[in-house]
């Protein structure tokens, strides 16, 4: 008889682990080690579940890079002893944190599945049960004695996505996430069906997992809008110690051609600030030079974010800034898919 897969369930906070205080009507965190009392069905799963929890669970709006490191450390410390990991966070910033974790581990050979819910686990109409149970099943899925998923995923409302491709798109519907530029890795219907050709296959020769926890957070997102003033852009590029700007442009990477705008960005790049061009559109890609309105950006040495999400551009920048790369290396690695976060063509 083969051994039951061992799954580590990491609870960090969010709605999923909350119950309603019927006296006050407010949501409050419950003791997560009691999770099997809330969902007795977990005992029917063919795996051994161990839970660990943040001492003080957080609403994911309070997420920051220190918490990223805490979550990654919980996984790193237990990596050899478990077959898969399920991380529960609030959905508000789940795309950011799960994407960050995807960069913090290189050569990941085991599943790390993020999930949460829109309604608390104790609510009659909760989406938490299905999200949690199927996430555990995904993390425990094997084929030929190997995990099926060997990357960081995000499971929500019947779909498993590559975490670093996701965006939270809805605060009301159970289908809270979308992955506009990459199809789901798995879909849960009557059967749990993996789209195996879409999954990352780590390089078997490099079997040692590398854990990196240096993240640099001196960065900013600059979202363009018609009418943005010189004063605003000037103030942003002159933030003390600023290392990088995620520039959210229009359409396929277009921006104003006004001289003052291009000059401010050019000076920032000359000063050593990295500027990455990502699109404000939910789907599609930056194509530098397609229109005259992006040719100037190309000329001044802006980095092409291609079809990366803003969430992932932020965490990838934090990660690469911690790596002491030359300018050329930084641009090269940013424009290259490292964890499947950018499409090849
Ligand atoms: N505000 C909550 C959080 O992100 C919402 C949720 O859990 O989905 O922590």
């Amino acid at each position: 008889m083969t051994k039951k897969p061992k799954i580590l369930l990491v609870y960090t906070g969010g709605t999923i682990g909350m119950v309603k205080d019927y006296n006050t009507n407010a949501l409050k965190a419950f003791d997560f080690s009691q999770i099997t009392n809330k969902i007795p069905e977990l005992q029917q799963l063919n795996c051994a579940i161990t839970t660990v929890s943040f001492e003080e669970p957080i609403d994911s709006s309070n997420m920051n890079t220190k918490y990223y490191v805490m979550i990654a450390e919980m996984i790193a410390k237990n990596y050899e002893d478990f077959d898969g990991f399920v991380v529960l966070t609030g959905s508000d910033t789940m795309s950011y944190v799960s994407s960050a974790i995807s960069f913090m581990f290189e050569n990941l050979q085991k599943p790390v599945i993020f999930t949460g819910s829109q309604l608390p686990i104790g609510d009659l109409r909760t989406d938490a049960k299905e999200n949690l149970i199927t996430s555990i099943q995904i993390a425990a899925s094997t084929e030929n004695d190997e995990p099926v998923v060997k990357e960081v995923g995000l499971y929500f409302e019947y779909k498993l996505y590559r975490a670093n491709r996701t965006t939270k798109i809805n605060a009301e519907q159970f289908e809270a996430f979308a992955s506009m530029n990459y199809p789901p890795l798995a879909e849960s219907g009557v059967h749990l069906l993996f789209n195996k050709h879409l999954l990352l296959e780590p390089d078997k020769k490099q079997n040692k997992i590398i854990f990196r926890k240096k993240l640099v957070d001196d960065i900013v997102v600059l979202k363009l809008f018609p009418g943005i003033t010189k004063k605003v852009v000037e103030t942003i590029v002159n933030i003390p110690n600023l290392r990088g700007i995620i520039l959210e442009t229009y359409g396929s990477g277009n921006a104003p051609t006004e001289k003052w705008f291009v000059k401010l960005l050019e000076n920032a790049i000359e000063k050593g600030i990295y500027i990455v061009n990502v699109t404000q559109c939910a789907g599609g890609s930056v194509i530098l030079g397609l229109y005259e309105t992006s040719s100037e950006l190309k000329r001044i040495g802006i980095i092409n974010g291609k079809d990366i999400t803003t969430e992932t551009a932020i965490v990838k920048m934090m990660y690469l800034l911690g790596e002491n790369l030359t300018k050329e290396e930084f641009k090269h690695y940013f424009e290259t898919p490292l964890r499947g976060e950018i499409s090849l063509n």
Side-chain angles (χ1 to χ4, degrees):
M1 203 182 87
T2 46
K3 277 198 300 145
K4 279 187 176 186
K6 289 167 75 184
I7 304 299
L8 185 69
L9 188 58
V10 179
Y11 175 61
T12 72
T15 305
I16 192 164
M18 294 192 173
V19 280
K20 199 175 227 164
D21 180 332
Y22 285 100
N23 295 323
T24 62
N25 256 350
L27 293 175
K28 57 173 197 197
F30 74 91
D31 174 3
F32 211 78
S33 59
Q34 304 299 313
I35 181 71
T36 35
N37 299 344
K38 292 270 179 256
I39 312 186
E41 294 93 325
L42 288 179
Q43 282 157 356
Q44 292 173 33
L45 288 170
N46 190 29
C47 52
I49 303 167
T50 305
T51 54
V52 283
S53 172
F54 272 14
E55 236 163 75
E56 302 221 356
I58 58 162
D59 186 293
S60 80
S61 308
N62 285 319
M63 192 54 78
N64 58 38
T65 54
K66 288 198 191 71
Y67 289 124
Y68 292 175
V69 174
M70 270 169 70
I71 295 169
E73 271 172 346
M74 283 171 154
I75 296 168
K77 214 171 69 197
N78 291 291
Y79 188 74
E80 295 307 328
D81 298 333
F82 287 86
D83 300 298
F85 302 83
V86 174
V87 184
L88 306 178
T89 73
S91 60
D92 287 351
T93 60
M94 195 186 290
S95 291
Y96 296 84
V97 55
S98 56
S99 182
I101 300 295
S102 80
F103 290 101
M104 292 166 85
F105 290 106
E106 195 175 328
N107 302 328
L108 187 70
Q109 313 270 347
K110 296 183 180 182
V112 176
I113 311 298
F114 279 74
T115 195
S117 64
Q118 294 279 55
L119 283 176
I121 219 154
D123 195 289
L124 262 189
R125 295 174 50 251
T126 190
D127 52 332
K129 275 192 189 182
E130 199 283 322
N131 285 349
L132 179 56
I133 290 171
T134 309
S135 294
I136 295 172
Q137 277 181 329
I138 290 169
S141 295
T142 55
E143 195 178 73
N144 305 326
D145 274 340
E146 273 191 19
V148 175
V149 177
K150 301 172 191 118
E151 59 177 293
V152 182
L154 186 156
Y155 182 80
F156 228 88
E157 194 61 6
Y158 304 112
K159 290 197 180 86
L160 175 71
Y161 302 108
R162 175 164 300 148
N164 58 34
R165 292 290 197 150
T166 62
T167 300
K168 184 169 179 184
I169 49 142
N170 206 311
E172 165 63 27
Q173 291 171 0
F174 288 143
E175 198 166 347
F177 289 89
S179 165
M180 294 293 290
N181 288 332
Y182 202 72
L185 304 177
E187 286 176 72
S188 167
V190 174
H191 299 101
L192 179 56
L193 295 177
F194 289 97
N195 295 320
K196 290 196 185 131
H197 62 290
L198 298 173
L199 291 163
L200 279 182
E201 258 318 311
D203 185 350
K204 286 251 169 56
K205 282 175 265 143
Q206 315 234 351
N207 52 10
K208 190 105 189 75
I209 185 155
I210 304 168
F211 171 39
R212 293 202 178 79
K213 49 181 172 179
K214 184 148 187 254
L215 298 167
V216 176
D217 54 11
D218 293 309
I219 68 171
V220 73
V221 178
L222 171 53
K223 180 171 184 155
L224 295 183
F225 56 90
I228 192 166
T229 61
K230 182 174 178 193
K231 194 166 77 194
V232 165
V233 179
E234 199 163 38
T235 308
I236 289 177
V237 296
N238 286 306
I239 294 172
N241 304 323
L242 188 69
R243 303 280 311 278
I245 301 173
I246 308 296
L247 183 69
E248 273 203 0
T249 56
Y250 310 123
S252 49
N254 307 317
T257 46
E258 281 171 278
K259 282 222 166 54
W260 65 262
F261 178 77
V262 176
K263 196 76 206 145
L264 281 175
L265 297 190
E266 190 171 16
N267 290 347
I269 292 173
E270 271 164 19
K271 264 195 335 199
I273 295 175
Y274 293 110
I275 307 185
V276 177
N277 187 350
V278 302
T279 174
Q280 293 179 12
C281 295
S285 182
V286 166
I287 308 174
L288 277 185
L290 181 65
Y291 290 89
E292 202 186 7
T293 41
S294 69
S295 308
E296 277 294 274
L297 300 181
K298 193 173 178 183
R299 180 187 64 76
I300 64 175
I302 208 159
I303 296 166
N304 188 346
K306 302 181 183 177
D307 66 348
I308 202 166
T309 61
T310 298
E311 291 87 334
T312 293
I314 292 169
V315 298
K316 187 173 184 179
M317 184 173 262
M318 288 176 165
Y319 158 63
L320 289 180
L321 283 172
E323 290 297 293
N324 288 327
L325 303 169
T326 63
K327 269 190 181 183
E328 292 68 30
E329 285 169 336
F330 189 97
K331 183 166 160 54
H332 168 76
Y333 285 118
F334 209 106
E335 293 180 349
T336 306
L338 302 179
R339 308 283 188 272
E341 75 283 7
I342 288 178
S343 303
L344 274 173
N345 44 7

